[in-house]
Amino acid sequence: MENTAIISGLVHVVTPTEHIGDRGFKKRQVVLVDDRNETYPKHIPITFIRGMCEDVDDVSPGDEVKIKYELGGRQWQDRYFLDATATGFRILARNEFHEDEKLSPPADVPF
C-alpha cells in the first residue's frame, strides 16, 4: 500500500521539540492551515521526528511550505489514531513579517 503524499500550505504554528523517554527520541509538529473555508479552517498537523526536528528551526508562521509525509496509524484499546510523519520538506515562500520581530522606527524619525 502506498502511504506517502505531499501537502502544501501556510504554516500556522511550529511546536517546540518534545523529548520523549530516555533513549533520546524527539518530535515536534508543524501545523498547516487550510483557510479556504473561512468559517471552518482546517488545521493539519505534520509530525517531524528525530533529526528532522532541527530542520524546521527556520520555519515560521506564515511561511508557505511543501511537505512530503507518510501516513501511519496505530490502535490503542478500541481507539485508532492517524499520524502524518514528515519525510522531507521545502520552504516555498517566507512570511515577510514574523510576529517575534520587533518593529522599530527608522533612525531618522524625529520622535
Side-chain angles (χ1 to χ4, degrees):
M1 171 176 21
E2 181 68 33
N3 64 346
T4 61
I6 296 174
I7 187 170
S8 298
L10 291 179
V11 175
H12 177 68
V13 69
V14 179
T15 65
T17 299
E18 295 178 58
H19 298 273
I20 301 168
D22 296 334
R23 295 184 179 181
F25 182 78
K26 54 188 173 180
K27 71 176 187 173
R28 73 192 300 186
Q29 290 186 327
V30 172
V31 180
L32 303 182
V33 63
D34 178 359
D35 58 2
R36 290 177 288 183
N37 180 340
E38 293 179 14
T39 307
Y40 302 106
K42 296 176 184 172
H43 293 87
I44 303 154
I46 308 291
T47 303
F48 287 73
I49 60 173
R50 298 183 185 94
M52 290 194 72
C53 290
E54 288 82 19
D55 293 344
V56 295
D57 283 345
D58 292 336
V59 176
S60 299
D63 289 349
E64 183 179 356
V65 296
K66 179 184 277 190
I67 301 173
K68 183 176 180 182
Y69 65 94
E70 290 183 349
L71 281 179
R74 64 187 185 285
Q75 178 184 359
W76 181 69
Q77 297 178 352
D78 290 333
R79 298 179 70 184
Y80 297 89
F81 299 91
L82 182 66
D83 186 53
T85 303
T87 59
F89 82 99
R90 185 172 72 222
I91 298 173
L92 301 175
R94 292 220 178 257
N95 181 11
E96 292 183 23
F97 175 77
H98 298 289
E99 290 180 22
D100 59 341
E101 293 177 358
K102 295 181 180 170
L103 291 177
S104 58
D108 59 345
V109 175
F111 54 86

